[in-house]
Amino acid sequence: MLQFLDEHRAMVLAALDGVDDRTAAARLLPATDMTVGGIVKHLAHMEDLWFTHILLGADFPEPWTSVGTDEAWAWASAGDDSVDSLRGLYASACARSRAAVAGFGALDGRAALPSFGKAPVSLRWMLVQMIRETAQHCGHLDLLRDTLRTPDPPAAQPG
């Protein structure tokens, strides 16, 4: 599970390659407000939410301290962040998550805090949740990145 999650995390970081700050903040598809930067910042928030806060029961690290579980803030504020700061934010959140998982113990161990306000979930459940969420957003990043590619000119038609 950790290998799958790390593969998707690497894809998130790779989606930032060659993207400038303006493009990371741009609304690239008319049907959604999602941006490359917004997705990366949202995923950094989810890493800290699930592994630092819910799994360990620890306080949120910066920059989430004042916003806590307010997911909308990550999406809305990403336009003010540089690609380098988003890359660092996500990489740091993933490093904290890896450390939390490594120190936690058994996959069937229960998180310190309830999930979705209901009941504590296992580390196994949490890893599957993060694989699902990260993979889903990798698909969104692929679509957004596809909009940045210059289309090939149409093939010449025999005449």
Side-chain angles (χ1 to χ4, degrees), residues 9 42-58 60 69 71 97 100-101 111-117 119-123 125-127 129-134:
R9 287 169 170 159
H42 165 72
L43 286 171
H45 187 226
M46 292 300 97
E47 291 279 348
D48 281 325
L49 172 69
W50 285 107
F51 296 112
T52 300
H53 185 62
I54 294 176
L55 183 67
L56 300 181
F60 278 96
T69 58
E71 291 182 37
S97 295
V101 169
L113 299 176
S115 167
F116 299 110
V121 295
S122 68
L123 173 58
W125 183 96
M126 207 171 281
L127 288 168
Q129 161 64 15
M130 279 306 298
I131 291 167
R132 184 204 60 77
E133 175 132 11
T134 308

Side-chain angles (χ1 to χ4, degrees), residues 3 6 16 26 32 35 40 51 53 71-72 76 101 110 136-137:
Q3 183 178 0
D6 276 340
L16 293 172
T32 181
T35 65
V40 174
F51 296 112
H53 185 62
E71 291 182 37
V101 169
R110 297 292 174 178
Q136 174 187 12
H137 287 306

